[in-house]
Amino acid sequence: MQKVTELLPAIFAILVFVVIWFVIRRILGSISDKINNSEVYKEDTLRVLEEIRDELKELNKNNSSK
């Protein structure tokens, strides 16, 4: 019983480090997801803007030929 009580602080410290590690890992994972989502959003926005530009060029070409 005495050995178990001597090991309790070490076990508690290990558990605290494991919990902190999981929390930091979750935070970094969510930050990474937000960065990836912003990149996808940027690509989608760029694609839509390119489509609008192409449509405007086509409309301008049609109006110029009339």
Side-chain angles (χ1 to χ4, degrees):
M1 189 67 177
Q2 181 110 8
K3 288 187 177 187
V4 172
T5 56
E6 289 175 5
L7 291 177
L8 279 178
I11 293 172
F12 182 70
I14 291 171
L15 287 176
V16 168
F17 284 130
V18 168
V19 168
I20 290 172
W21 181 73
F22 276 116
V23 169
I24 290 173
R25 192 169 159 218
R26 294 277 270 169
I27 291 171
L28 292 177
S30 77
I31 291 172
S32 175
D33 290 344
K34 286 184 189 251
I35 290 170
N36 290 337
N37 287 342
S38 70
E39 289 294 322
V40 169
Y41 176 76
K42 185 171 84 173
E43 291 172 3
D44 289 344
T45 304
L46 185 61
R47 191 174 305 116
V48 168
L49 288 173
E50 288 173 349
E51 290 175 11
I52 292 171
R53 181 195 66 202
D54 294 341
E55 289 179 19
L56 287 173
K57 280 183 179 179
E58 194 67 34
L59 285 172
N60 193 21
K61 189 186 301 183
N62 291 341
N63 285 337
S64 295
S65 65
K66 288 184 179 181

